Amino acid sequence: MKAKVHVTLKSGVLDPQGKAIANALGHLGFTGIGEVRQGKYIELELAETDREKARQQVEQMCRQLLANTVIENYSIEI
Amino acid sequence: MKAAVITFPGSNRETDMLDALERITGKKPLRVWHADSELPKVDLIVIPGGFSYGDYLRCGAMAAHSPIMREVKARAAAGTPILGVCNGFQILCEAGLLPGVLLVNETLKFHCFDVHLRVENSQTVFTSGYSTGQVIRVPVAHRDGNYFADPETLDRLEGEGRVAFRYVTADGVPTKEANKNGSARNIAGIFNETKTVLGLMPHPEDATDPIQGSTDGIGLFRGLAEALA
């Protein structure tokens, strides 16, 4: 079973990399760009076949390692 | 004082730390590799700077969950002083031994220069070699030194005297200009609840010999040696 995890910065947390990307896009001539936020995408191959159990397992992984919940939110897709 | 310096794959400032500890305390510290299952009984545990695990995922995240850190957490709980410098500070935050997290510098640049720090609390095992309000000059070398925590945590740190050092001007004023990495409230280093764990981004070990341009870091090691003698 495959799990897909998106890790994104919480809204109150400054994202200087996102800002730099927005600037670079502006330099390339793209207009109308609002805020840009950069995140991470992680794909996991799991042996677990039960969807609910897999989700719980990935939830634990997110809390313990994949995301730092002081600054990041995560979402899981199984 | 017997100290242990823990290294991970990608640590690179351990030699400076070992050298400073030996020169100032007169005792050769132990080197402990992260995969060593045993951490000998010591008076001080140091996690030096570097780029453990190539900063994969987040700075310090991999090292924070390595087996040796379980033992470090147990020692911290038992009251053994733990010092984390630079990547060591990031690791202590990721391990949950200190609150908050170090984000990428506001400038998005690697910072490598001297900074002025104000000692915010000299009543700890780490800072007894200084006086509160004293300004010291030490170098920084990091890309991710922008300290972040939620406002409640910051208030608690300030209220409990747990801010160890702040970025200031040469005359001791915490300005925006002195805080180049963008740290919340100019925070350069913090203590845990019991003030027996200290994490800081600047490198006091690299300001312990006239040849390094400053000897202001000596106070930290001398204070520790006296307190833990």
Side-chain angles (χ1 to χ4, degrees):
Chain A
M1 189 169 285
K2 194 175 261 185
K4 299 174 177 180
V5 178
H6 280 98
V7 181
T8 50
L9 279 177
K10 286 183 177 173
S11 55
V13 181
L14 271 176
D15 182 5
Q17 296 183 90
K19 272 194 186 150
I21 293 167
N23 283 338
L25 289 171
H27 293 316
L28 286 171
F30 291 98
T31 54
I33 303 160
E35 202 185 11
V36 176
R37 308 281 287 170
Q38 186 188 265
K40 292 187 191 96
Y41 171 66
I42 303 164
E43 257 183 26
L44 302 146
E45 203 66 65
L46 303 173
E48 181 60 63
T49 50
D50 182 290
R51 289 178 74 87
E52 203 30 54
K53 279 188 188 151
R55 178 174 290 280
Q56 284 172 11
Q57 204 183 8
V58 177
E59 180 88 31
Q60 284 301 321
M61 292 178 200
C62 285
R63 276 198 222 133
Q64 288 180 37
L65 179 67
L66 302 182
N68 182 331
T69 53
V70 175
I71 47 164
E72 292 169 329
N73 290 321
Y74 58 85
S75 63
I76 302 165
E77 238 180 276
I78 302 284
Chain B
M1 178 186 78
K2 195 78 193 155
V5 177
I6 298 179
T7 51
F8 300 89
S11 298
N12 64 8
R13 303 302 282 263
E14 71 277 16
T15 317
D16 302 13
M17 185 59 81
L18 290 159
D19 178 61
L21 281 164
E22 186 173 354
R23 245 183 311 112
I24 299 161
T25 70
K27 258 198 170 166
K28 206 177 175 65
L30 297 168
R31 277 181 96 117
V32 180
W33 177 238
H34 76 110
D36 293 350
S37 50
E38 256 180 59
L39 182 55
K41 185 120 186 62
V42 288
D43 306 308
L44 171 73
I45 297 170
V46 183
I47 308 180
F51 299 88
S52 56
Y53 299 89
D55 282 349
Y56 287 179
L57 194 63
R58 295 178 305 277
C59 300
M62 298 293 166
H65 300 288
S66 69
I68 194 90
M69 286 306 291
R70 250 174 265 151
E71 188 54 31
V72 172
K73 281 187 195 176
R75 297 290 175 89
T80 302
I82 318 277
L83 169 66
V85 171
C86 197
N87 188 222
F89 184 14
Q90 296 163 343
I91 293 169
L92 292 176
C93 287
E94 280 284 344
L97 284 170
L98 291 172
V101 60
L102 284 310
L103 298 172
V104 65
N105 295 341
E106 221 169 58
T107 57
L108 283 178
K109 290 194 171 108
F110 188 91
H111 288 178
C112 188
F113 41 68
D114 281 3
V115 295
H116 288 97
L117 301 178
R118 192 174 69 197
V119 179
E120 299 291 300
N121 180 355
S122 63
Q123 305 297 305
T124 76
V125 71
F126 299 100
T127 50
S128 62
Y130 300 114
S131 48
T132 298
Q134 185 177 343
V135 176
I136 60 171
R137 186 165 62 87
V138 292
V140 291
H142 61 248
R143 198 187 77 109
D144 296 73
N146 177 354
Y147 183 71
F148 176 90
D150 58 60
E152 298 77 55
T153 304
L154 294 171
D155 288 344
R156 203 168 63 242
L157 288 172
E158 296 197 292
E160 294 172 356
R162 290 168 56 193
V163 176
F165 301 101
R166 252 185 253 269
Y167 299 107
V168 293
T169 58
D171 46 4
V173 187
T175 61
K176 179 148 176 50
E177 183 53 32
N179 185 32
K180 293 209 166 35
N181 61 23
S183 289
R185 304 187 193 177
N186 285 50
I187 290 173
I190 54 166
F191 301 111
N192 69 337
E193 291 87 342
T194 52
K195 302 186 182 77
T196 49
V197 177
L198 166 66
L200 76 163
M201 286 314 295
H203 290 272
E205 75 278 17
D206 291 327
T208 57
D209 189 313
I211 205 169
Q212 293 167 321
S214 169
T215 54
D216 290 355
I218 291 177
L220 186 134
F221 298 97
R222 197 170 280 158
L224 275 169
E226 276 166 23
L228 303 174

